[in-house]
Amino acid sequence: QSLKEILNGELWPGAEATRNNVLDLLPEISTHLLHFYGHATSKPDALNNAWLELSPSGPQDSAFRLYAYDFYGMRVPWEMAIFSACESSLGVEQVGEGIFSLSRALHIAGCQHTLATIWESDADVNSMLMKQYVKLLKEGLGKAEALQQTQIWFMTQKDPFRHHPIQWANFRLISNDEPIAFSVESPLWKQPIF
């Protein structure tokens, strides 16, 4: 909810966030930054066995999951996608190809930059980190510098539990350090948050 307010975005909660609804919406989204917030699963035993749970309150079946392979046939115009979800950068390694994951699937679909996680993470911690990260992006910092400054900021919080790298070092940025070019043509109010 706090990211929705920062980005002036659209939130798709609960039963509305079905696979079919999201697949119908994704090709129509023209924004610089797309943010997926939820739970992700990556099974390293099979190619394309990675998905994002779209509705934690919905049934745990394919109607409420967005799979990595769902992106392969798409062409997306997004400059950057953020996955605030566990293990969204993990997947199966293919010799000569690299790791096939949710993050990689978006690159194949045309998304230039991704920020995704490489291990399980706490939802409250992710929320705090991404709120600060997006705030810094909006202030014009480059993607890598904004992540670095977010991690430094997080370690300065009073709770010593927050200082341990297991809390803040799970995000993998596949990107350059250029700022995101937010523009009038693609306003933040069109930013969907799943």
Side-chain angles (χ1 to χ4, degrees):
Q1 187 68 26
S2 61
L3 267 176
K4 177 185 181 287
E5 293 160 9
I6 291 172
L7 292 170
N8 195 18
E10 182 180 340
L11 184 64
W12 280 47
E16 293 177 42
T18 66
R19 180 172 180 254
N20 287 338
N21 285 346
V22 172
L23 287 174
D24 287 344
L25 175 69
L26 287 178
E28 299 173 14
I29 297 170
S30 113
T31 185
H32 289 284
L33 176 66
L34 188 74
H35 186 258
F36 290 96
Y37 181 83
H39 178 71
T41 300
S42 179
K43 304 286 186 190
D45 57 341
L47 190 62
N48 293 325
N49 204 0
W51 65 84
L52 183 73
E53 293 287 347
L54 297 171
S55 177
S57 58
Q60 302 303 302
D61 62 33
S62 61
F64 290 90
R65 290 180 177 163
L66 191 61
Y67 291 88
Y69 61 77
D70 289 325
F71 293 105
Y72 293 149
M74 288 185 193
R75 293 306 306 155
V76 299
W78 318 318
E79 184 175 346
M80 182 174 191
I82 298 173
F83 284 101
S84 291
C86 299
E87 302 176 349
S88 49
S89 195
L90 291 183
V92 176
E93 184 174 358
Q94 295 293 306
V95 175
E97 289 292 329
I99 296 174
F100 283 86
S101 64
L102 286 165
S103 180
R104 171 81 183 272
L106 276 175
H107 282 281
I108 291 170
C111 184
Q112 300 169 40
H113 316 282
T114 59
L115 180 63
T117 59
I118 54 176
W119 62 73
E120 290 186 11
S121 51
D122 179 270
D124 292 334
V125 169
N126 270 358
S127 179
M128 286 178 66
L129 286 167
M130 289 305 97
K131 184 177 176 182
Q132 181 69 11
Y133 182 67
V134 170
K135 177 179 166 256
L136 294 174
L137 287 177
K138 284 181 66 180
E139 290 175 4
L141 269 65
K143 294 175 281 297
E145 183 183 2
L147 181 59
Q148 177 193 40
Q149 293 303 315
T150 296
Q151 292 169 332
I152 291 168
W153 167 83
F154 194 72
M155 288 185 293
T156 65
Q157 302 306 298
K158 292 181 182 179
D159 183 355
F161 170 72
R162 310 257 189 239
H163 299 177
H164 197 284
I166 200 164
Q167 297 297 317
W168 52 262
N170 62 331
F171 281 93
R172 175 186 289 167
L173 180 65
I174 302 173
S175 178
N176 60 30
D177 192 36
E178 297 297 316
I180 291 183
F182 295 114
S183 67
V184 175
E185 292 81 32
S186 185
L188 287 173
W189 56 263
K190 290 187 177 178
Q191 156 69 35
I193 302 166
F194 299 99

